[in-house]
Amino acid sequence: MPSQSDAEKSKNGAHVACIMDGNGRWAKKRGLPRTAGHTAGEENLAEVVRQAAKRNVGWLTVFGFSTENWVRPKAEVRHILALHKQLFGRIEELNANNVRVQWIGRPFDEPGSKTPLYVQKAIRQAIADTASNTGMTLTVAFDYGSRAELARAVRKSKIELFTVTKQSIEERLYLAQMPPVDVLVRTSGESRISNFLLWQINHAAVYFTQRPWPDFDADDLDAALALLDA
Ligand code: FPP
């Protein structure tokens, strides 16, 4: 698949990527179970999507669930998966905001994929039902790990071309059409990248905030976007 030219990639506003950290700590501080923090995180994500869609954000990519997250307690994993179903089910709201949904992660039909069928179904449905929206693109990373993505791209380059170049890797990423990230956000005081979009953040500005994800708001989003004017 040919990748977009740089001009095409950047014509539709900034690409903001978020590592949504701190749901657990947000809940603990309030004496609530961790799952309540994730629920608040999903609700806040819906609000951040609305806010981003009103701004000059063309692409919003969020780390919903990593390839490493499967080892969390079963009940917590079940809860986070159900929240993904809920998010992908917000079709009316997404359409009202002209938001197109995408998913990035380990392909369902490839070895190691762990995405249950009901989440696959919700993802497929959201992608289909929002495909004609022309505003912001919301990409949810689910069962995603950047090193696995890169190893696969290199493997495919070798099999298909017998050669590996920067271009051959870029064209074989999970979403070759996704533009590079302009600003990477991580909430809750963590200043690590944690295997998120390692190739795509090559030139990104980085915005770290102490606020946990459920409290990340429009002011934070504006502060992150302001890094692009600096
Ligand atoms: C980090 O909180 C967040 C995650 C593990 C990702 C899950 C994100 C959500 C449920 C928000 C909604 C998003 C979607 C796509 C439905 P943490 O548990 O690591 O927090 P902690 O570091 O404070 O324990």
Side-chain angles (χ1 to χ4, degrees), residues 68-86:
E68 287 80 32
N69 283 154
W70 292 107
V71 301
R72 290 192 178 209
K74 272 204 180 85
E76 185 176 346
V77 169
R78 258 200 311 273
H79 188 82
I80 296 177
L81 264 50
L83 288 173
H84 277 76
K85 186 170 177 227
Q86 182 166 315

Side-chain angles (χ1 to χ4, degrees), residues 77-124:
V77 169
R78 258 200 311 273
H79 188 82
I80 296 177
L81 264 50
L83 288 173
H84 277 76
K85 186 170 177 227
Q86 182 166 315
L87 179 80
F88 286 114
R90 290 179 181 262
I91 306 289
E92 228 173 275
E93 208 174 311
L94 293 161
N95 284 338
N97 287 288
N98 198 18
V99 173
R100 180 174 72 113
V101 172
Q102 287 196 138
W103 156 75
I104 187 168
R106 189 156 45 182
F108 303 145
D109 57 353
E110 291 189 11
S113 166
K114 290 196 178 74
T115 306
L117 273 173
Y118 80 94
V119 179
Q120 292 185 24
K121 213 175 140 202
I123 290 173
R124 287 203 174 96

